[in-house]
Amino acid sequence: MTSRTSYRTLSGTSRLAGVMGWPVSHSKSPRLQGYWLANNAIDGSYMPLPVAPENFETALTSLRDLGFAGVNVTIPFKETAMRACDELTDRAKRIGAVNTVTFAKDGRLLGDNTDGFGFIENLRQEAPNTAFCSGPAVVLGAGGASRAVLVALLDEGCPEIRLANRTRKRADDLAGEINDPRITVIDWPVAPSALENASLVVNTTSLGMVGQPALEIDLTGLPTSALVTDIVYAPLITDLLAQAKDRGNPIVDGLGMLLHQARPGFHKWFGIDPDVTPDLREFVLSTD
Ligand code: ATR
């Protein structure tokens, strides 16, 4: 308990939300949303909701029936949630996954995906003077996170995306599904040669995360004006970001993507578009 999030007694009309996952104990969302609730003096609560996979759909509709305003969904439910929703935003359809569900007054389940929003908002806030979509982007990785990043960059007007993944077929399949001529798939080993004239490099792989090998890529061909970002946030400064910073590139760590992706849900459920501040970053990273 800290002075930033003191306990609030709930009233009979409290707004309720939470995060469904299996497991969910690792999730930073309750801490993050709890900070915003306390800071905005909102009569509401945001709970960790561990749900076994076989109970997911029952639990989701039960939360609606219990009067919850909505829920975030995390691994392994992001695709299942998409199928369980009655209505999807365009970006959720294109990303092929849902991370934010709002229960409408008429009982319908509205699914959104805010990961791409979080990715772009983080870059806008942390690198406001960087024209990261003015030239080609190099995106490393072709998993679920990559898909959200690709859709967001295309929507942002990125003129060209060079997509590299260790397993080439996965990148080919992803590019085929998104089906935009601005995406070109390149072989993983030749990714360094694709850095030439790029204005953005994004690591969406798990490489560089605590317990994983580092992402080793020769940045020699990358203009020093290019923004380098990593969706990994543990550690905050990955080897990729340290290498980029050493050679003079602007860098943005991945924590802000997590914080910004939570804003639309909080706004819908609790009525305020919350701020992402240095104090919030520090609070979410600390464990006290
Ligand atoms: P997420 O949904 O978080 O993106 P994922 O679907 O498991 O997670 O994707 C993990 C990404 O990290 C993939 O692009 C994966 O590459 P493969 O498709 O070839 O598996 C990438 N990745 C994981 N370990 C890797 C490694 N040792 N070298 C290169 N890429 C790796």
Side-chain angles (χ1 to χ4, degrees):
M1 195 86 56
T2 77
S3 58
R4 289 179 290 198
T5 56
S6 53
Y7 181 74
R8 291 178 61 82
T9 305
L10 301 176
S11 78
T13 56
S14 292
R15 305 281 288 169
L16 303 176
V19 54
M20 299 173 76
W22 187 256
V24 81
S25 53
H26 66 281
S27 174
K28 294 194 183 295
S29 294
R31 193 167 174 82
L32 159 60
Q33 302 257 353
Y35 175 99
W36 283 331
L37 286 169
N39 266 260
N40 291 287
I42 290 172
D43 179 18
S45 184
Y46 183 99
M47 285 160 266
L49 302 165
V51 177
E54 61 272 25
N55 297 330
F56 176 73
E57 296 210 15
T58 312
L60 187 64
T61 49
S62 299
L63 290 170
R64 173 198 60 196
D65 298 344
L66 286 165
F68 272 55
V71 283
N72 286 122
V73 292
T74 186
I75 293 166
F77 300 131
K78 287 187 169 190
E79 282 84 21
T80 322
M82 187 171 79
R83 292 189 289 278
C85 284
D86 300 301
E87 204 180 301
L88 298 171
T89 58
D90 182 53
R91 61 190 182 189
K93 283 182 202 157
R94 290 165 64 225
I95 294 170
V98 156
N99 71 345
T100 306
V101 180
T102 298
F103 302 125
K105 287 206 169 59
D106 63 6
R108 283 176 319 129
L109 276 57
L110 314 178
D112 191 8
N113 189 310
T114 64
D115 286 333
F117 168 86
F119 173 73
I120 295 289
E121 287 289 296
N122 183 33
L123 299 190
R124 282 208 188 116
Q125 180 165 323
E126 298 294 325
N129 302 316
T130 311
F132 58 85
C133 268
S134 61
V138 176
V139 176
L140 305 168
S146 172
R147 189 167 174 143
V149 166
L150 293 173
V151 168
L153 287 175
L154 292 169
D155 286 352
E156 195 63 15
C158 183
E160 180 189 342
I161 299 177
R162 300 163 184 166
L163 174 64
N165 193 52
R166 174 181 60 177
T167 311
R168 161 107 194 192
K169 185 176 181 314
R170 231 177 146 195
D172 284 333
D173 290 350
L174 182 55
E177 282 166 38
I178 296 177
N179 192 24
D180 189 300
R182 289 175 287 169
I183 302 179
T184 308
V185 176
I186 55 170
D187 283 328
W188 181 253
V190 300
S193 62
L195 299 173
E196 198 186 329
N197 78 351
S199 61
L200 177 68
V201 178
V202 189
N203 175 40
T204 76
T205 75
S206 46
L207 292 172
M209 197 183 286
V210 173
Q212 299 285 324
L215 169 59
E216 284 172 12
I217 181 166
D218 180 359
L219 297 179
T220 305
L222 183 69
T224 49
S225 57
L227 179 62
V228 179
T229 188
D230 204 319
I231 68 158
V232 169
Y233 59 83
L236 268 186
I237 302 299
T238 58
D239 287 334
L240 170 69
L241 294 185
Q243 191 195 338
K245 191 172 180 209
D246 279 353
R247 65 192 295 282
N249 288 89
I251 61 166
V252 173
D253 67 59
L255 180 63
M257 178 176 175
L258 171 78
L259 306 181
H260 284 279
Q261 65 75 33
R263 280 172 41 209
F266 188 90
H267 192 183
K268 278 213 175 80
W269 308 325
F270 301 115
I272 287 173
D273 184 9
D275 291 330
V276 171
T277 61
D279 190 60
L280 172 65
R281 281 174 61 90
E282 194 189 309
F283 180 73
V284 168
L285 287 174
S286 67
T287 49
D288 60 349

